[in-house]
Amino acid sequence: MHLLWAPFILQFLASMPGFVSARSDMVFTVPQVRLTTTFNNFDARIMDHWGGGGGKWAKIPKDTEHPFQGRDYGGAKRYEIRGTRAFGSGYPYGAGNLSTVARRPFPFGVWPLYWDQNFRDADEYGPQYDSIRPGGFIASVPLRTTTEHFNVTDDEVYYAIGDRESLLPLMVSYVTWCHVTPAWPTRFNASAANATIKLEDVIQYFRGSSFALASLAYNNTFARTGDSGSKESTPLPEFMEYSPFRKCVDHVAENALAIVNKIPSSTPLDKFESALIGGGIFICGAMIFLLVGIAGVLLNLRDDFQNWLYGNPRDLDRNRVNRQSELQYENYP
């Protein structure tokens, strides 16, 4: 875990407004995934990488025929993100029937992965809904490193499986902290007959089983037995169990994977700022009213002075008409 304190602190600082690195040409930003559940307004929850989560959960409204309308989402905290090797694990609330993942809420904002043969009714979240899945379609990316940084063999390759928008910035964290060889995510359909990564290859689920780490060198013979609450699994191979590289990619996923933020609440500072802004608006309005009044008085004084000096404009116009009627010979045809 000591490898992760530095990035966690860095990302925490990066989330604060105005944080700039020592390099003047770089400004740190925290990657975010927008979680849209309605088209009636522009309100949306935000999923933050390295975010803490928490707060009250919300409900997907029943106003736009969302396929999961009425379900609760959000509220889960970062420390609750870790599941087991059983599909359907990692739910801090709402798991209910452990034999199925159907009809469950989304504590971290994202619904679970899906596997072949409608395993545990996962077809409810199948590829037909990838277009509206928070973070986009499911993808996978290989996680490799070199012997320069870790004592690894050629077959120690792991795969991260999850939504595309979570994988892209997570790869940056993997490259930074675990010296992973950069790779781009590719679309992954676990229900396809020729899928390379199988349910039995998963070594760890995260975030309500919406994200997984897998290895082709692992085969969990208990993956399709028991239920999502089962703790029984095939032990990891020894080289994998004690691998610093595996522990690094595991800990980065645990600490950096995007989860939905809590709903912002007003603080005493927010209330003070609101009062300050309101007071400023009132003072500005009063000053404008006063200036308009002074301007009106000055305009009246100017008119009175002009009338005294030149005469009233209405009288001048009337006199001009009278003179023109008396001097008809000056009106040429």
Side-chain angles (χ1 to χ4, degrees):
M1 289 294 291
H2 68 283
L3 292 174
L4 296 171
W5 282 111
F8 182 78
I9 294 171
L10 177 63
Q11 294 290 343
F12 172 76
L13 290 173
S15 67
M16 301 184 68
F19 177 78
V20 182
S21 72
R23 286 177 50 186
S24 60
D25 62 339
M26 180 184 294
V27 177
F28 286 105
T29 57
V30 176
Q32 295 180 329
V33 177
R34 188 176 179 87
L35 181 58
T36 301
T37 58
T38 180
F39 298 127
N40 284 348
N41 52 54
F42 290 107
D43 294 340
R45 298 285 291 275
I46 299 298
M47 296 174 60
D48 262 342
H49 287 260
W50 301 90
K56 296 181 179 179
W57 60 72
K59 193 177 292 292
I60 298 177
K62 299 181 179 181
D63 56 6
T64 54
E65 299 301 321
H66 192 285
F68 306 123
Q69 59 185 353
R71 296 199 195 181
D72 295 326
Y73 69 96
K77 298 178 176 64
R78 170 66 61 180
Y79 68 81
E80 299 171 310
I81 197 172
R82 196 172 186 84
T84 65
R85 291 175 194 144
F87 179 60
S89 63
Y91 278 76
Y93 70 85
N97 185 354
L98 298 181
S99 66
T100 178
V101 294
R103 298 175 295 280
R104 289 189 183 184
F106 313 125
F108 297 95
V110 187
W111 50 79
L113 303 171
Y114 52 84
W115 293 102
D116 61 315
Q117 302 176 30
N118 192 25
F119 183 67
R120 291 191 180 141
D121 303 315
D123 279 3
E124 179 172 288
Y125 314 104
Q128 70 274 20
Y129 293 131
D130 270 358
S131 60
I132 62 170
R133 174 181 287 269
F137 58 80
I138 294 177
S140 67
V141 63
L143 306 176
R144 296 182 175 89
T145 190
T146 62
T147 55
E148 179 183 356
H149 300 100
F150 292 97
N151 184 20
V152 294
T153 58
D154 292 340
D155 61 344
E156 189 171 353
V157 180
Y158 303 99
Y159 292 86
I161 308 168
D163 61 278
R164 174 183 173 274
E165 293 304 311
S166 291
L167 285 175
L168 284 171
L170 197 61
M171 175 54 74
V172 176
S173 296
Y174 278 140
V175 171
T176 302
W177 305 109
C178 301
H179 306 287
V180 166
T181 303
W184 292 100
T186 57
R187 193 161 197 145
F188 177 70
N189 184 359
S191 60
N194 60 346
T196 304
I197 307 169
K198 306 294 184 182
L199 174 72
E200 292 78 6
D201 298 326
V202 172
I203 62 176
Q204 183 65 52
Y205 285 104
F206 299 89
R207 203 178 60 178
S209 292
S210 65
F211 185 90
L213 288 177
S215 171
L216 301 183
Y218 176 68
N219 180 39
N220 183 9
T221 58
F222 297 91
R224 296 184 185 271
T225 63
D227 55 33
S228 61
S230 175
K231 299 294 191 297
E232 193 172 24
S233 64
T234 301
L236 296 177
E238 188 172 338
F239 81 89
M240 195 180 298
E241 176 69 30
Y242 300 104
S243 168
F245 178 54
R246 180 196 64 80
K247 292 179 180 179
C248 185
V249 296
D250 181 280
H251 290 159
V252 167
E254 183 177 358
N255 287 275
L257 188 59
I259 61 175
V260 68
N261 281 342
K262 62 181 179 181
I263 300 175
S265 58
S266 61
T267 64
L269 180 61
D270 295 330
K271 294 177 180 178
F272 172 75
E273 291 177 347
S274 298
L276 190 63
I277 293 173
I281 293 174
F282 175 79
I283 293 173
C284 289
M287 291 182 63
I288 291 173
F289 180 79
L290 180 63
L291 289 174
V292 169
I294 293 174
V297 171
L298 292 177
L299 288 173
N300 287 335
L301 290 175
R302 185 201 65 179
D303 292 342
D304 291 342
F305 178 74
Q306 287 181 339
N307 291 344
W308 175 79
L309 184 63
Y310 302 111
N312 190 298
R314 294 179 182 176
D315 293 338
L316 292 176
D317 288 340
R318 187 164 47 250
N319 292 336
R320 183 171 59 253
V321 171
N322 292 336
R323 287 200 309 274
Q324 287 177 347
S325 61
E326 293 174 356
L327 302 173
Q328 291 295 325
Y329 63 91
E330 289 187 358
N331 292 329
Y332 296 96

